[in-house]
Structure formats: structure tokens, C-alpha cells
Amino acid sequence: MRLVTYTKDGATCIGAIKDGAIVDFSGANGSLPADMLTLLQGGDALLETARALVEETEATIPLDEVTLQSPIPNPPRVLAVGINYMDHFLEIPEEVRTAKGLTAPKVPVVFNKQTESVTGPYAPVMAPPESAQLDYEAELAVVIGRTCRRVSAEDAHKVIMGYTILNDVSVRDWQLASMTMTMGKSWDSHCPMGPALVTADEVTDPQNLQVRLTVDGEEQQNFNTGEMIFNIAQQIEYLSTACTLLPGDVIATGTSAGVALFREGQPWLTAGQTVRVEIEGLGHIENQIETDPGISFIQ
């Protein structure tokens, strides 16, 4: 299934893409929830109900009549793995690696993107007035489908619900100003995801998917998920050793070379540009960079 969260006529619902349109879950079956997180928390029973509905029901909602949201607008966590492609590690200038004593990671380098950073697959990404160093990172994202702890690499496939596309948008000076990366990775709108949550049964080999990122049509990244230093199963084993993983948790599995930080002239993202991330078999997301007005508020 290609599960989606969408807004139509002011209401946000979930469904599945079929034949270029959407099968609405809550409208067609009263036992299915109206939000993706509740569906995932319902386990196999709800998913099988959804699957049967998709097989038996005609899709009646045209995609051009809805706004697609992040498939999971409110994931419990977005757990991200940094420096997980050797080409990305090697694009760090050698003098920097030497000066800082950097070596290829021996274990996954983990940080969080706060859930408030999550936004839709075609929503704007805001360029903050506090920094000019806005960067991109194309990534395959894994969505956990079961509550689990201490999952072996051999069993990791049992807890994966599916896959989606993620852009780990980064504010580099804020990222590098701290011992941890979270503040530079967690700005509002800096985690566009989508367009759909593609269930694991529809992805033959998640470790052999081509990933491509363009800025205004010009290719900046092009790599294969088979080039990961730590594969998806190893990431799940490592993360679940320390903490219980929950349905709806998102794991951003890392990016490869080509980020603006290490390109000549550091071509940071600026307002008016469009960033597109494509992953083989999953579709694409496309986000325009807009200027964040910098307005503060208290509710």
C-alpha cells in the first residue's frame, strides 16, 4: 500500500493511493481511524482491514483535489543517522578530518530531529533570518510498525512498517556550534517527508534504491542506499538496544556526498529555490524555499 495523509475541504484524513487517486479510509470503513499514527498503533489487524479495503474499493478522490501532508504528521520521534555513507565522510576536507581527529564511524552516529520540524512533501521550507547556511540532505526514511526492544539485525525486517522520502534540511552554523547536532536539524519545516508511506511488502530491496536530489533542476546528489556504512537492519539493532522503538517512529538513514557545506563556494539554499528529492519506487518530494518572516508568538 501507498498510505497517505491528506487534507481536503479543511479536513485531514488518511487513505491509500490506488490508480492515481485516493481510497479514503475513514469514509469507507468506520472501523479505521482518521490519522496515520493511530492506524500504525493498531497493528496487523487494522492494517489488514485497510489492505482489504484498498483491494475492494474504488479510489474516488483525485490527487489534484487534495493537499498531501507528511504521511505521519506527528511521529513519536525522528531518529537520524549521520555520516552513514563513506562518500559523505570523505567529502569532509582532509585537513578538517585530520585537525579534528575524525575517523569513519565505528557505530551509528545518532541525533534527533524534533517532531515540530516535520512538514509535508510539497510544503515550503522556511529559510530563517538567523542563518544563511541552509542545506539539504536527501535520505531514505524507515517507519517502525511495532513496539520493539533489542531487535536483532536478523529480525529487523519484522518491525519495519514501510519507507518514505525525507529531506534532512540543516542549518549548518547552528549544527556546528554545538557538540550535538539537534539544534541545527530541528527548525520548523526542516523535515519534509512523503509523499506516501510505502509499505515494506512493496519495496523489494530497500538497500538498492537510487536517491537523487536537485536544486532548481540541477543535480546535487545521486547515490544508492546500498552504499550505507550501517545498513537499515544494523541501525534498528543499534537503536532498539538502547530504547524501545514505537509504531510511527521515523529513522532517517543518512545521506551521501554532495551537500552544500562541502561544495565549492558553499551554495546554500535561498528563498525562491526548489529542492526535489526522488527515491526509486517511492516517488518524489519537492519543496520551495521561502523566507521565514521571523515572527514570534505565544499561545
Side-chain angles (χ1 to χ4, degrees):
M1 291 185 291
R2 306 179 81 88
L3 301 170
V4 292
T5 297
Y6 65 95
T7 299
K8 186 177 188 295
D9 299 329
T12 299
C13 311
I14 62 172
I17 296 175
K18 177 182 179 181
D19 300 328
I22 295 174
V23 176
D24 173 47
F25 284 179
S26 55
N29 187 315
S31 68
L32 290 173
D35 71 283
M36 193 69 71
L37 188 56
T38 302
L39 177 69
L40 299 185
Q41 291 168 339
D44 290 343
L46 279 185
L47 289 173
E48 286 309 310
T49 299
R51 194 180 302 278
L53 178 66
V54 173
E55 291 175 355
E56 300 166 0
T57 307
E58 182 180 353
T60 58
I61 302 175
L63 281 167
D64 61 5
E65 293 183 4
V66 308
T67 299
L68 289 179
Q69 310 293 343
S70 166
I72 311 171
N74 56 335
R77 287 167 296 195
V78 180
L79 302 165
V81 179
I83 315 295
N84 196 35
Y85 287 78
M86 188 58 68
D87 282 353
H88 185 36
F89 173 74
L90 293 176
E91 73 174 341
I92 302 172
E94 185 175 2
E95 60 271 20
V96 174
R97 285 185 270 132
T98 300
K100 294 182 176 294
L102 297 179
T103 59
K106 302 296 191 296
V107 297
V109 177
V110 178
F111 61 92
N112 286 70
K113 289 179 76 73
Q114 305 294 0
T115 56
E116 290 81 4
S117 67
V118 172
T119 193
Y122 310 116
V125 165
M126 308 307 291
E130 292 84 0
S131 174
Q133 297 186 11
L134 190 65
D135 209 344
Y136 51 80
E137 293 189 8
E139 307 201 11
L140 171 67
V142 177
V143 178
I144 298 298
R146 296 174 180 269
T147 301
C148 57
R149 180 79 193 278
R150 293 192 174 94
V151 181
S152 69
E154 292 73 23
D155 288 336
H157 66 281
K158 298 178 182 178
V159 305
I160 296 173
M161 171 60 191
Y163 305 91
T164 192
I165 303 170
L166 182 150
N167 186 351
D168 176 18
V169 179
S170 306
V171 181
R172 294 301 188 189
D173 49 352
W174 280 62
Q175 173 189 340
L176 298 173
S178 171
M179 293 292 290
T180 65
M181 291 184 275
T182 297
M183 284 300 290
K185 299 283 193 171
S186 295
W187 292 64
D188 287 3
S189 81
H190 287 190
C191 188
M193 288 197 295
L197 168 53
V198 181
T199 53
D201 60 293
E202 294 205 10
V203 180
T204 302
D205 184 359
Q207 297 292 173
N208 185 25
L209 300 177
Q210 205 65 25
V211 182
R212 182 172 182 262
L213 181 144
T214 61
V215 177
D216 289 342
E218 183 175 342
E219 183 176 283
Q220 306 297 316
Q221 293 185 286
N222 195 331
F223 59 94
N224 190 280
T225 56
E227 300 162 8
M228 292 180 188
I229 297 173
F230 303 101
N231 65 30
I232 294 165
Q234 291 169 320
Q235 293 178 48
I236 290 173
E237 180 177 63
Y238 185 76
L239 289 164
S240 69
T241 298
C243 61
T244 300
L245 298 180
L246 304 172
D249 276 347
V250 175
I251 302 173
T253 58
T255 199
S256 192
V259 298
L261 175 63
F262 299 123
R263 282 187 172 273
E264 184 177 356
Q266 295 184 319
W268 306 117
L269 296 172
T270 57
Q273 292 185 310
T274 299
V275 183
R276 178 184 174 105
V277 183
E278 308 168 15
I279 298 184
E280 181 181 358
L282 302 185
H284 76 275
I285 63 175
E286 187 169 293
N287 307 92
Q288 185 169 50
I289 309 301
E290 295 186 5
T291 300
D292 187 333
I295 298 171
S296 60
F297 67 91
I298 300 174
Q299 292 182 331

